[in-house]
């Protein structure tokens, strides 16, 4: 009987141990589940903190951008260019050109490295213009229009090759382009003078442009055909020119020597050279 009691007691103990083991396993499972929830909550908390920090940075950046936008708009009308689009990673501006209905579009886009890429192209200006504005626009001959368009396309290619690492570089590139546009306007005025005063004709020739004219003395007894070759660096580098006597006795060699000596590069290069030739022919 004593042995039977011991067996019963042992059986009850085993049952209790099994139940305790099951209870412990369940508690461990619950603990593991709670730990996973805690880990998830910690991750969410960290994520929310990072988002809050990013929102703070974004607010400051937005505030700076808005201030920059206001400054940019305030000086927009003082420049030869106009703002087209301004976004967080993209700035687009355009220059109104001397060529009718054509504008030069410049796009600056921030890339992953932190630098800026630049693209440039010519687009047709579809904005309606008033009659007064149309009257103010200069009218160019076909040859001059072709020359201006070729120089604008060259500006586009130069802008595409520009390396930009900061907003300061964008500023410098715009100042340089603005200077080039002003220089191009000066050249256009000179070409108009050549056409009106000296009967000059502008035409393309071997990837360059040639300004050709026939110059006479006051008595119409001598006539000289002159051709000026306009390279992309005109008017700040020595210019090639061809002289050919058409009428009268003209010492072309002596004239050529005098031009090399006295006609120097700079604004009004062609017109000054024509003035020297006219004085020589008298």
């Amino acid at each position: 009987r004593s042995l039977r009691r011991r067996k019963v007691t042992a059986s009850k103990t085993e049952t209790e141990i099994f139940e305790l083991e099951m209870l412990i396993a369940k508690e461990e499972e619950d603990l593991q589940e709670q730990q996973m929830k805690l880990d998830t909550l910690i991750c969410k908390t960290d994520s929310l903190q990072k988002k809050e920090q990013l929102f703070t940075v974004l607010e400051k950046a937005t505030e700076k951008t808005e201030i920059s936008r206001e400054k940019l708009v305030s000086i927009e009308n003082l420049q030869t260019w106009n703002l087209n689009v301004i976004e967080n990673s993209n700035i687009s501006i355009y220059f109104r050109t001397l060529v009718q209905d054509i504008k030069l579009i410049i796009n600056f886009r921030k890339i992953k490295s932190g630098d800026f890429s630049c693209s440039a192209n010519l687009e047709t200006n579809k904005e309606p213009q008033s009659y007064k504005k149309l009257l103010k626009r200069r009218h160019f001959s076909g040859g001059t229009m072709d020359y201006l368009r070729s120089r604008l396309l060259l500006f586009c290619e130069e802008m595409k090759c520009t390396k930009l690492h900061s907003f300061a570089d964008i500023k410098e590139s715009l100042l340089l382009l603005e200077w080039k546009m002003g220089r191009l306007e000066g050249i256009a005025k000179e070409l108009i003078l050549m056409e009106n005063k000296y009967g000059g004709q502008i035409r393309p020739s071997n990837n360059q442009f040639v300004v050709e004219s026939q110059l006479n003395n006051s008595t119409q007894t001598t006539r000289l055909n002159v051709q000026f070759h306009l390279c992309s660096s005109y008017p700040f580098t020595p210019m090639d020119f061809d002289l050919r006597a058409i009428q009268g006795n003209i010492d072309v060699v002596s004239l050529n020597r005098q031009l090399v000596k006295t006609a120097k590069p700079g604004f009004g290069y062609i017109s000054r050279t024509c003035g020297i030739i006219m004085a020589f022919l008298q």
Side-chain angles (χ1 to χ4, degrees):
R1 184 179 295 178
S2 176
L3 182 60
R4 185 180 299 172
R5 288 178 181 175
R6 289 179 182 178
K7 288 182 178 180
V8 172
T9 302
S11 178
K12 289 181 179 180
T13 303
E14 288 178 355
T15 302
E16 291 176 356
I17 291 173
F18 177 76
E19 291 177 351
L20 287 174
E21 288 177 347
M22 292 295 294
L23 182 60
I24 291 172
K26 186 176 183 305
E27 292 296 332
E28 288 179 347
E29 184 178 352
D30 292 341
L31 179 61
Q32 187 175 4
E33 184 179 352
Q34 293 299 324
Q35 185 64 43
M36 292 177 62
K37 290 182 179 180
L38 179 61
D39 293 341
T40 302
L41 183 60
I42 292 174
C43 289
K44 288 183 178 180
T45 303
D46 292 340
S47 178
L48 289 174
Q49 289 177 348
K50 290 180 180 179
K51 285 184 178 180
E52 185 177 357
Q53 293 174 355
L54 290 175
F55 277 128
T56 302
V57 173
L58 180 61
E59 287 178 356
K60 292 181 179 179
T62 303
E63 183 178 354
K64 289 182 179 179
T65 302
E66 190 61 31
I67 293 174
S68 299
R69 184 202 299 269
E70 291 175 358
K71 290 181 179 179
L72 187 60
V73 172
S74 66
I75 65 172
E76 181 180 354
N77 295 328
L78 302 178
Q79 310 295 327
T80 58
W81 49 266
N82 295 90
L83 182 64
N84 193 22
V85 175
I86 180 169
E87 298 174 345
N88 290 335
S89 59
N90 181 39
I91 298 176
S92 176
I93 65 172
Y94 67 91
F95 286 81
R96 288 191 176 90
T97 69
L98 297 172
V99 182
Q100 187 174 358
D101 298 331
I102 295 295
K103 58 184 179 181
L104 176 59
I105 306 293
I106 311 292
N107 293 303
F108 300 100
R109 185 177 297 276
K110 194 169 186 178
I111 55 181
K112 291 183 179 180
S113 63
D115 295 341
F116 292 86
S117 64
C118 178
S119 61
N121 61 286
L122 299 180
E123 289 187 4
T124 302
N125 186 11
K126 298 180 181 179
E127 297 177 358
Q129 299 185 25
S130 65
Y131 181 69
K132 290 184 178 180
K133 287 185 177 180
L134 289 175
L135 288 178
K136 290 181 180 179
R137 297 189 70 92
R138 295 185 178 90
H139 296 281
F140 302 106
S141 65
T144 303
M145 291 278 284
D146 291 339
Y147 173 76
L148 294 176
R149 187 185 295 272
S150 70
R151 292 299 298 271
L152 291 172
L153 289 173
L154 180 61
F155 292 166
C156 291
E157 294 302 318
E158 290 174 348
M159 289 298 295
K160 292 177 183 178
C161 298
T162 303
K163 294 182 179 180
L164 305 169
H165 304 292
S166 64
F167 286 104
D169 292 336
I170 293 179
K171 174 185 174 182
E172 293 298 326
S173 66
L174 287 179
L175 288 175
L176 179 59
L177 181 58
E178 194 170 17
W179 176 78
K180 289 180 179 179
M181 295 290 285
R183 186 178 72 175
L184 184 60
E185 183 174 1
I187 296 174
K189 292 178 180 178
E190 186 178 14
L191 293 179
I192 292 176
L193 175 64
M194 285 296 301
E195 291 175 341
N196 296 336
K197 186 175 181 179
Y198 299 109
Q201 295 182 348
I202 299 93
R203 56 180 173 80
S205 175
N206 297 327
N207 297 324
Q208 290 185 344
F209 279 81
V210 172
V211 181
E212 184 174 6
S213 179
Q214 293 186 8
L215 304 179
N216 308 315
N217 63 358
S218 58
T219 59
Q220 303 292 322
T221 56
T222 58
R223 179 179 299 176
L224 182 72
N225 178 272
V226 294
Q227 293 184 2
F228 302 102
H229 299 267
L230 301 181
C231 62
S232 60
S233 58
Y234 177 84
F236 298 113
T237 56
M239 173 179 57
D240 293 332
F241 51 84
D242 299 319
L243 307 176
R244 182 171 59 88
I246 299 177
Q247 179 181 344
N249 186 19
I250 304 174
D251 188 352
V252 175
V253 176
S254 178
L255 174 58
N256 187 75
R257 189 182 304 114
Q258 183 175 345
L259 290 176
V260 172
K261 182 179 179 180
T262 57
K264 301 300 181 182
F267 285 111
Y269 193 3
I270 292 181
S271 56
R272 286 187 287 106
T273 303
C274 286
I276 296 172
I277 294 174
M278 292 296 292
F280 184 88
L281 294 178
Q282 300 306 322

